[in-house]
Amino acid sequence: TTMYYPVEVAGALLSMGDAHMAQGDSELDGTGVETSVTGTFRVTVLKSADLAPWQQSLDFPMGETESHWIVHSFTEIDYLDTFADNPGDIYGVSNVDSAMKNT
């Protein structure tokens, strides 16, 4: 799977973690069995001009397999702005219906 993550600020950093051995209904129900990850990752920075026209305006993470595109995101586009006072509040308002909405 290839993952595409938008970079919102110049000089942004990347951190990988929060791996799960099992997890129910994404993280909307708040449960997951945490584990460590050992792997090989290839990170490539792509400029917007290098993407297909329909990808250039996307502002949320996407996964790509050989046959499918996968939306990978919270139900809020910019939850750090919306929940600036307490980012953890995103968990109280996220739900699978909003996450699966095709808008």
Side-chain angles (χ1 to χ4, degrees):
T1 301
T2 299
M3 294 301 301
Y4 298 89
Y5 293 98
V7 178
E8 301 292 335
V9 296
L13 302 175
L14 176 67
S15 175
M16 294 188 193
D18 195 26
H20 297 153
M21 291 177 16
Q23 151 177 339
D25 197 15
S26 69
E27 281 193 5
L28 297 175
D29 64 0
T31 61
V33 179
E34 305 290 335
T35 187
S36 62
V37 171
T38 302
T40 302
F41 300 91
R42 181 176 65 194
V43 177
T44 305
V45 176
L46 301 173
K47 300 293 185 178
S48 180
D50 297 327
L51 300 172
W54 69 270
Q55 292 173 301
Q56 293 178 10
S57 63
L58 298 179
D59 58 359
F60 52 85
M62 292 282 289
E64 179 184 17
T65 69
E66 284 186 32
S67 59
H68 293 85
W69 286 95
I70 304 162
V71 174
H72 179 258
S73 187
F74 279 113
T75 54
E76 278 285 328
I77 297 293
D78 188 352
Y79 82 96
L80 290 176
D81 183 52
T82 304
F83 299 99
D85 293 335
N86 187 4
D89 285 350
I90 184 70
Y91 295 105
V93 298
S94 290
N95 66 64
V96 73
D97 293 330
S98 295
M100 300 305 289
K101 199 166 46 174
N102 188 16
T103 59

